[in-house]
Amino acid sequence: MSFSGEVKEELGDQLSDARHCRIAEAAAILSMCGSIMIDSNDRYSIKIHTENLIVARKCFTLLRKTFNIRTEISIRRNLSKQNTSYWLLVKKHEEALRLLQAAKLLTQEGDVLEELSIVRNTVVQQYCCRRAFIRGAFLVSGSISDPEKSYHYEIVCSAKGKAEQLQKIINSFEIDAKVILRKKSYVVYVKEGAQISDLLNIMEAHVALMKFENIRILKDMRNAVNRKVNCETANINKTVSAAVKQIEDIRYIRDTIGLENLAEALKEVALTRLSYPEATLKELGDLLTPPVGKSGVNHRLRKLGEIADKLRQNKEVHYD
Ligand SMILES: [Zn+2]
């Protein structure tokens, strides 16, 4: 099962103790994937659509235990798309009305809010209810990527207003959710590992949170080790390429004017470098008699470099 599936399975089995939180969760579900039908006699019925059995089961339980509404379920298998659609129906007008009123999805005049938008909805005033709202929204139209691969959390909304409201609710927990237009949907997303971890906590997916954090810690450690290795490799490469250049210079001097024409101190460094191409400056210095410090060795090597450069340009050379 995907990590997203695991999170949903965990959330699907939960039911808040507080009625206000359950109402908030139901409001999120209705807002995200509910639709309202009004017949010619002005009577309401509600349809909730999902392709996830866990979500269908959760909606069914939530509506029964919170509002004492028994929804009818119809199932449709789509063989070409290889998926199954679940439709939960609240057929009775009185029950539909009761549900919409509780979820504050009706205007004061009793009309259905446009697009079931939860803008200015009072069901999300309390923190506990906002957590439930995010949980409901994630269950029906969210997904989270496998933390082994990448950090990505998103909830797809059908309208801009809904996405912005959801973004505001999520960001009230000091998270930096963003909204992007994808085809015809508005996607609320978070891409930062620590913030996704916070979101799992907010949604109360505690088992998934533990798993997520374990993977995140391992990944951080792996990255830290890789960074260190890369850094050391870079330093080694730097030392090696400097040494290669020094040896080139020394050989050039040897093949033109000969090392014996160099001052004694330079000649000694040149010969030692040729014998120990991989030695660091400090190691080279220790090999000289008497030993010379790192900066002294560096100075002499630079001098050799200058001599080689001048020889290449056929300039007058002072060998000392
Ligand atoms: Zn609450």
Side-chain angles (χ1 to χ4, degrees):
M1 188 188 280
S2 67
F3 185 69
S4 209
E6 285 176 35
V7 176
K8 289 194 180 189
E9 192 170 72
E10 187 183 352
L11 295 180
D13 288 336
Q14 284 179 11
L15 207 58
S16 297
D17 291 330
R19 186 177 162 81
H20 40 87
C21 293
R22 287 194 210 166
I23 291 174
E25 196 164 352
I29 291 170
L30 284 172
S31 177
M32 291 295 162
C33 63
S35 53
I36 300 189
M37 284 137 323
I38 306 172
D39 71 8
S40 51
N41 298 320
D42 235 8
R43 297 181 71 76
Y44 292 173
S45 58
I46 299 174
K47 246 192 207 174
I48 298 168
H49 172 238
T50 176
E51 288 175 0
N52 186 327
L53 176 61
I54 293 165
V55 175
R57 210 173 55 208
K58 167 92 183 217
C59 292
F60 182 85
T61 315
L62 191 64
L63 296 189
R64 189 167 58 80
K65 292 203 169 163
T66 313
F67 306 98
N68 197 24
I69 293 172
R70 240 173 218 286
T71 46
E72 278 181 30
I73 301 180
S74 71
I75 301 171
R76 202 175 306 151
R77 285 211 171 75
N78 188 332
L79 290 174
S80 63
K81 277 194 195 163
Q82 295 256 320
N83 64 7
T84 308
S85 276
Y86 304 89
W87 298 91
L88 281 84
L89 301 166
V90 181
K91 273 190 171 166
K92 288 183 190 153
H93 173 71
E94 291 72 23
E95 289 185 340
L97 210 56
R98 190 147 51 84
L99 185 53
L100 292 170
Q101 270 162 352
K104 303 277 193 294
L105 292 168
L106 296 178
T107 63
Q108 284 190 331
E109 292 76 38
D111 297 324
V112 177
L113 284 174
E114 201 180 333
E115 291 175 322
L116 290 178
S117 170
I118 37 80
V119 177
R120 285 188 298 280
N121 195 319
T122 50
V123 299
V124 286
Q125 268 173 349
Q126 298 185 66
Y127 265 102
C128 58
C129 297
R130 281 186 219 167
R131 297 172 78 142
F133 190 93
I134 296 169
R135 181 163 61 231
F138 176 82
L139 251 182
V140 293
S141 57
S143 64
I144 181 168
S145 63
D146 182 347
E148 289 276 15
K149 293 182 188 126
S150 64
Y151 296 135
H152 185 88
Y153 172 105
E154 68 172 41
I155 298 175
V156 180
C157 302
S158 57
K160 196 176 177 199
K162 276 184 205 179
E164 284 168 353
Q165 173 79 355
L166 184 61
Q167 179 189 30
K168 238 165 88 185
I169 293 173
I170 290 175
N171 290 359
S172 71
F173 291 91
E174 285 174 17
I175 286 171
D176 186 26
K178 298 198 170 58
V179 177
I180 188 176
L181 178 66
R182 185 193 294 155
K183 289 175 189 164
K184 282 178 182 165
S185 302
Y186 292 83
V187 182
V188 182
Y189 71 94
V190 175
K191 286 202 86 69
E192 216 251 306
Q195 296 193 353
I196 295 173
S197 171
D198 285 347
L199 272 165
L200 287 170
N201 188 31
I202 288 163
M203 297 193 301
E204 294 175 84
H206 298 305
V207 177
L209 173 65
M210 287 297 287
K211 186 170 175 188
F212 186 88
E213 279 300 273
N214 278 338
I215 294 170
R216 204 160 73 92
I217 290 164
L218 278 177
K219 262 174 93 171
D220 282 354
M221 266 168 50
R222 237 173 358 226
N223 287 342
V225 170
N226 283 343
R227 257 198 308 278
K228 194 151 185 289
V229 169
N230 287 341
C231 184
E232 277 167 7
T233 311
N235 280 339
I236 290 167
N237 285 340
K238 227 162 81 187
T239 311
V240 168
S241 64
V244 167
K245 169 80 170 66
Q246 288 154 13
I247 290 165
E248 252 173 39
D249 288 344
I250 293 165
R251 284 191 183 140
Y252 191 80
I253 297 169
R254 183 191 64 193
D255 299 343
T256 48
I257 56 169
L259 296 179
E260 64 280 4
N261 283 314
L262 292 171
E264 197 52 39
L266 291 183
K267 188 176 122 191
E268 195 192 1
V269 163
L271 288 170
T272 315
R273 174 46 98 200
L274 287 181
S275 313
Y276 300 92
E278 282 164 21
T280 62
L281 293 187
K282 170 146 193 342
E283 287 162 353
L284 272 187
D286 291 342
L287 287 164
L288 302 177
T289 31
V292 174
K294 202 168 135 185
S295 69
V297 174
N298 194 31
H299 175 78
R300 292 184 197 182
L301 286 168
R302 216 172 36 231
K303 193 102 192 183
L304 286 168
E306 283 166 17
I307 293 171
D309 283 346
K310 281 184 185 158
L311 283 172
R312 286 188 187 102
Q313 294 162 21
N314 278 323
K315 283 190 182 158
E316 198 181 323
V317 175
H318 298 281
Y319 301 148
D320 49 359

